[in-house]
Amino acid sequence: MRLTARGAGLGAAAAVLLAAGLIFGYRHLVVLGTACVAALLFAGGYVWFRPRLTVARGVDPDRVMRGESSTVTLEVGNTSRLRGATLIAHDRCGAASVAVPLLRLKAGGSTTAQYPVPTDRRGVVGIGPLRVVRHDPLGLITLARGYGGTAQVWVYPRVHRLTAVPTGITRSLDGRDDRVPHGTITFDTLREYVVGDELRRVHWRTSAKVGELMVREQLDTSLPRLAVLLDDRRSSYPDADLFEAACEAAASLVMAAFRDELPIVLRLLSGRSAADRSARAYLDLLAESELSGPGSSEAGASATSDRSIEELRTQRVGDTLIYLTGDPDLAQVSTLRTAYPTLVAGVFGPARPALERIVVLAVRDGAEFAAAWDGVQVW
């Protein structure tokens, strides 16, 4: 509950009138002051009436590429048995507020409202709750209440098709297209048994320890393994749109890897990473990523980036490392040349750095990156 400017003025006037009337004995001032207090009490009682509403929210779809359509559907019901409701509610949609008119909502009735979600920018759009703001007829007091839950819409970066594929350390004599789907060369990890797995892949010793059947996953080392490192430091991008372009390049690499069934790891320089069997985890990470720094956290961000570089050097999560940044200074990432046979740097901006043993793609947006990527002769 909040007093408006008019309500605050009326409250101050009531205090002055009552004080003056009681001190100096002016009955008329006391009557006026009492009338002001009565108006405030009436306004408070009026807005305190709580509409009995139920809100069911649906978002379809809740994950979209940038520029695609997503729609919020609200079903609002009036559970009161006696009183109808005529209100203007507002639903939070990101940083904006969307008006949802609830006109002549009968007792026991319901209505449905829809509105589009803005998907012109990458990110996670928060939806809800539905807020109902009541005003008294005199405009003295307002009271806002929230109804229903919240939802989120993940807006993924725009994806550009990449046709070229890096080569791995070694190539299968039978060719990449003839590989066995589950791999047959090198042990990779253990997972739970699912119907259809071959029993000869069951690791019986581990299964006896954990009490569940565990199956060996093997990795075909003839396939290229991609590692994408996305620079998310604010100091690396003179323009925020360049970071959006870097996210588009990362999303394009992820989708190309899943299309060709290639192992891929995505890591942000701030430390977050994704290495899953579905593209959704990677694209969710890209939608949620934000620029870090500057200010007092700049030293901490530098330490985090150093730690990420060191982890990539020691763990060696792939044989082809793609570094996406807006900073033309590649001295830090160039130290990874000994750990990764192929090192590619996508630099977004006007600068065009050149380093030995590093393939540098100097581009301005995601479309240019896709064209430059397909034009690399190293593949």
Side-chain angles (χ1 to χ4, degrees):
M1 184 178 294
R2 183 179 63 86
L3 282 174
T4 64
R6 182 183 300 176
L10 188 65
V16 172
L17 291 172
L18 288 173
L22 293 174
I23 293 174
F24 298 105
Y26 290 101
R27 296 180 179 179
H28 294 87
L29 296 182
V30 174
V31 172
L32 291 176
T34 303
C36 293
V37 172
L40 289 172
L41 293 175
F42 166 77
Y46 185 91
V47 300
W48 191 256
F49 165 71
R50 183 185 183 94
R52 301 177 62 183
L53 303 178
T54 60
V55 178
R57 183 189 310 279
V59 182
D60 185 32
D62 62 348
R63 285 169 169 82
V64 296
M65 293 293 178
R66 180 179 171 184
E68 296 180 348
S69 60
S70 176
T71 304
V72 176
T73 302
L74 289 172
E75 185 174 352
V76 184
N78 182 6
T79 60
S80 174
R81 297 182 179 180
L82 301 176
R83 301 190 60 175
T86 297
L87 317 156
I88 300 295
H90 293 83
D91 201 28
R92 182 179 68 91
C93 183
S97 179
V98 179
V100 181
L102 306 175
L103 304 179
R104 294 186 295 276
L105 186 57
K106 297 180 181 179
S110 64
T111 185
T112 301
Q114 291 183 331
Y115 65 86
V117 179
T119 60
D120 55 325
R121 297 288 294 180
R122 174 196 60 84
V124 180
V125 182
I127 310 294
L130 186 72
R131 295 177 68 251
V132 174
V133 181
R134 287 184 57 81
H135 305 268
D136 68 281
L138 300 177
L140 304 178
I141 298 177
T142 62
L143 179 62
R145 290 188 176 96
Y147 294 86
T150 60
Q152 289 181 319
V153 176
W154 282 261
V155 181
Y156 295 153
R158 188 178 290 112
V159 173
H160 305 275
R161 182 174 177 81
L162 307 179
T163 58
V165 177
T167 57
I169 300 175
T170 59
R171 298 294 288 177
S172 170
L173 296 178
D174 295 330
R176 181 170 57 84
D177 294 334
D178 296 330
R179 64 186 181 276
V180 178
H182 295 290
T184 58
I185 299 178
T186 303
F187 171 77
D188 181 31
T189 185
L190 291 172
R191 62 170 174 81
E192 293 183 5
Y193 173 87
V194 295
V195 177
D197 286 334
E198 299 179 13
L199 289 179
R200 63 187 180 90
R201 295 187 183 277
V202 174
H203 195 273
W204 296 106
R205 181 177 299 177
T206 304
S207 300
K209 289 181 179 180
V210 301
E212 296 182 4
L213 288 179
M214 302 298 293
V215 179
R216 290 189 300 267
E217 281 280 356
Q218 293 176 304
L219 180 66
D220 190 346
T221 56
S222 67
L223 299 179
R225 295 177 298 150
L226 307 182
V228 179
L229 178 61
L230 176 61
D231 186 358
D232 57 347
R233 296 173 299 179
R234 188 178 302 275
S235 59
S236 298
Y237 299 91
D239 186 351
D241 288 339
L242 296 178
F243 179 64
E244 299 301 319
C247 290
E248 290 183 7
S252 302
L253 290 166
V254 167
M255 297 306 294
F258 275 87
R259 183 190 66 233
D260 290 342
E261 301 180 18
L262 301 179
I264 185 171
V265 173
L266 172 63
R267 176 167 295 184
L268 304 184
L269 206 56
S270 60
R272 298 184 63 188
S273 63
D276 200 6
R277 298 185 182 276
S278 66
R280 174 171 169 172
Y282 297 84
L283 296 177
D284 281 358
L285 176 60
L286 290 174
E288 296 165 2
S289 62
E290 297 179 352
L291 291 174
S292 58
S296 59
S297 61
E298 191 169 354
S302 177
T304 302
S305 62
D306 293 341
R307 185 166 55 251
S308 298
I309 294 292
E310 184 61 29
E311 288 178 356
L312 285 172
R313 180 184 295 107
T314 56
Q315 296 177 4
R316 191 179 177 182
V317 295
D319 51 63
T320 299
L321 175 64
I322 304 102
Y323 178 54
L324 305 175
T325 182
D327 186 1
D329 183 8
L330 303 177
Q332 188 180 32
V333 76
S334 64
T335 60
L336 298 174
R337 289 180 296 185
T338 57
Y340 295 85
T342 304
L343 183 55
V344 182
V347 181
F348 294 83
R352 296 183 176 274
L355 292 174
E356 294 183 0
R357 297 177 57 191
I358 297 182
V359 180
V360 179
L361 307 179
V363 295
R364 294 179 180 271
D365 54 35
E368 282 191 20
F369 176 84
W373 175 272
D374 290 340
V376 173
Q377 302 299 322
V378 177
W379 315 145

